[in-house]
Amino acid sequence: MEFAEVVRRRRMVRNYDPDRPVPPDVVERLLDHAVRAPSAGFAQGWGFLVLETPADRDRFWAATTPAGGGRERWLAGMRRAPLIVVPHANRDAYLDRYAEPDKGWTDRSPERWPVPYWYVDAGFAALLMLLTAVDEGLGACFFGIPPQRLDAYREAFGVPPEYRPVGAITIGYRALDHRSPSLRRGRRPVDEVVRRGRWS
C-alpha cells in the first residue's frame, strides 16, 4: 500500500474478529517497525509487553478495567482483539544516556528536559505500530490505561517500576464497527492549525 494511503486509512478501530489471530510474522513486523522509531540520543528507552494468549488478554482487561466497567459497546468490541501491545517509557534510560560524556550532562536531572521525550518516543513507536497495522490490512486502536488501574496492571504483569505504560494498542482484523461520535467535530483544516514564518 502506498504510504499516503496508509495515512489516509488510519483510524481507531474498536471492534475485531476474534476468530482471526494476527499472524506471527505480522506481529514481528509490528514490533520491528516500532523499534525503528526515533529516540532522543538514540536512548531507545521503551519496552513493549505483547499479549497474545486469551489468558493474558483476559488478565489485561481484568487488571485495567474499572469495577463495573466493560459493558460499554466500545469496550466489548475492544475485548475481542486477538493482540494487545502495551508500549512503556523508561525515563531512566534517557537520564542515563544524557549523562554520558558525548551529551555533557552529569546530574541526570529531569528538569533539564523541557519535554519528557521518553513519552514522546514511546508515542512515536506506538504510531509506527498503528501505521504498520493499516499496511498489513489490520485495524488498531491506541487507548489509555486508567490511572487508578496502573498498580493492578503492574502487579498482574510484573512490570518493573522504571517502565511506565503510555497506553495500550489493540490490534486485529476489523469487524463491523461504529464511528466515534467525536468524529462529528470534523478534521480541522490545515490552514487553521499551520502558521508559516511567524505565529501571527
Side-chain angles (χ1 to χ4, degrees):
M1 190 180 305
E2 291 292 325
F3 181 72
E5 185 67 14
V6 169
V7 172
R8 278 194 296 273
R9 288 188 182 194
R10 194 227 47 84
R11 72 176 188 87
M12 298 301 185
V13 171
R14 296 173 179 83
N15 194 22
Y16 303 90
D17 182 344
D19 299 321
R20 293 183 69 192
V22 178
D25 61 316
V26 174
V27 176
E28 293 312 307
R29 268 194 296 282
L30 287 161
L31 299 169
D32 180 60
H33 291 179
V35 300
R36 293 178 183 276
S39 67
F42 209 40
Q44 305 169 79
W46 41 55
F48 303 95
L49 180 63
V50 180
L51 307 174
E52 298 176 272
T53 69
D56 284 343
R57 296 191 313 266
D58 288 346
R59 189 176 330 120
F60 174 84
W61 293 116
T64 61
T65 303
R71 293 180 178 83
E72 299 87 354
R73 181 173 60 169
W74 78 271
L75 190 51
M78 295 281 277
R79 286 177 182 264
R80 294 160 49 99
L83 174 64
I84 303 170
V85 179
V86 186
H88 298 74
N90 180 352
R91 181 184 76 168
D92 289 343
Y94 290 77
L95 302 184
D96 291 344
R97 171 68 185 102
Y98 275 76
E100 292 177 15
D102 65 316
K103 291 300 180 186
W105 298 349
T106 57
D107 60 8
R108 298 182 72 254
S109 172
E111 283 75 39
R112 289 186 177 274
W113 294 80
V115 173
Y117 276 94
W118 38 93
Y119 297 132
V120 173
D121 293 349
F124 286 154
L127 179 57
L128 286 179
M129 284 189 275
L130 294 174
L131 293 174
T132 301
V134 173
D135 193 46
E136 295 286 347
L138 299 167
C141 184
F142 180 90
F143 60 100
I145 297 174
Q148 68 273 25
R149 303 302 300 173
L150 286 174
D151 288 342
Y153 163 76
R154 287 181 175 285
E155 184 177 344
F157 294 100
V159 178
E162 64 270 21
Y163 284 92
R164 183 171 179 85
V166 298
I169 306 168
T170 50
I171 303 165
Y173 291 94
R174 293 180 182 198
L176 186 63
D177 204 359
H178 64 280
R179 289 175 60 82
S180 168
S182 298
L183 293 175
R184 292 187 198 118
R185 297 167 52 91
R187 191 175 308 280
R188 292 177 68 187
V190 171
D191 62 0
E192 200 176 284
V193 297
V194 172
R195 306 293 181 268
R196 300 181 192 272
R198 62 184 276 125
W199 198 265
S200 60

